[in-house]
């Protein structure tokens, strides 16, 4: 999380940080940052956030005149499975071995299926073939009956009870 402090008078900043809250608990949880207290961009890492939860936050800074806040922003911690870039090997005239790597099961931490989707347009979500397995790690399978001279796009997918996560 972070914000940008725009230079102003007086320029002496005594504290800056971020305030974080959920819609269920609207009381902000504010943490000061460490480091140089100056204008410009600052960030800080928050841990222990709950997947599937929507959070709101804003930055703050204190100088001799008082306390100022940045505009409120919101984000949601993803609960979908996360996949790395897809992989390919043994590319031939009418076949290829394609796959991906599940790097996170998402939340809840289990997947029911993983595999690849293949098509002639970018980011396919149809023509998906399960590759077996319900854990993190690399997987692949042979894709046959490809048409010579055709440009194919593919990506990995993994499904949990929240939804489907795709690789690039």
């Amino acid at each position: 999380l972070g914000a940008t402090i725009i230079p102003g008078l007086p320029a002496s900043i005594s504290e800056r940080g971020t305030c974080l809250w959920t819609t269920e608990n609207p009381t902000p949880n504010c943490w000061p940052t460490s480091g140089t207290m100056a204008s410009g961009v600052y960030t800080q890492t928050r841990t222990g956030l709950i997947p599937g939860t929507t959070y709101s936050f804003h930055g703050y800074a204190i100088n001799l005149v008082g306390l100022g806040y940045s505009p409120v922003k919101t984000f949601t911690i993803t609960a979908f499975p996360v996949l790395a870039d897809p992989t390919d090997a043994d590319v031939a005239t009418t076949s290829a071995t394609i796959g991906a790597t599940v790097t996170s099961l998402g939340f809840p931490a289990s997947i029911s299926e993983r595999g690849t989707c293949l098509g002639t347009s970018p980011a396919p979500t149809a023509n998906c073939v399960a590759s077996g397995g319900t854990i993190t790690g690399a997987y692949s399978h042979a894709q046959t009956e490809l048409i010579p001279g055709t440009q194919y796009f593919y990506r990995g997918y993994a499904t949990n009870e929240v939804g489907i996560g795709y690789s690039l």
Side-chain angles (χ1 to χ4, degrees):
L1 306 178
T4 302
I5 298 174
I6 300 170
L9 292 175
S12 179
I13 298 168
S14 60
E15 184 178 308
R16 67 182 185 184
T18 60
C19 299
L20 177 71
W21 63 95
T22 66
T23 55
E24 293 82 27
N25 181 13
T27 304
N29 174 2
C30 299
W31 289 6
T33 62
S34 59
T36 304
M37 296 294 148
S39 59
V41 176
Y42 67 93
T43 61
Q44 68 183 165
T45 301
R46 295 287 190 107
T47 61
L49 303 181
I50 301 168
T53 302
T54 298
Y55 291 91
S56 297
F57 78 97
H58 60 215
Y60 74 89
I62 302 171
N63 67 8
L64 295 174
V65 175
L67 174 63
Y69 294 101
S70 70
V72 173
K73 302 267 184 168
T74 61
F75 65 94
T76 301
I77 301 296
T78 184
F80 298 109
V82 178
L83 289 88
D85 291 346
T87 59
D88 62 63
D90 302 324
V91 177
T93 305
T94 60
S95 66
T97 300
I98 58 177
T101 301
V102 176
T103 59
S104 171
L105 300 175
F107 181 82
S110 65
I111 59 173
S112 57
E113 183 176 288
R114 65 183 188 180
T116 58
C117 301
L118 178 75
T120 56
S121 298
T125 58
N127 300 316
C128 300
V129 176
S131 293
T134 57
I135 60 172
T136 58
Y139 62 90
S140 64
H141 66 97
Q143 182 71 46
T144 59
E145 300 180 17
L146 301 176
I147 300 169
T150 302
Q151 181 179 20
Y152 288 98
F153 298 88
Y154 67 96
R155 62 185 179 166
Y157 75 91
T159 305
N160 68 10
E161 68 181 62
V162 175
I164 302 172
Y166 292 98
S167 66
L168 297 176

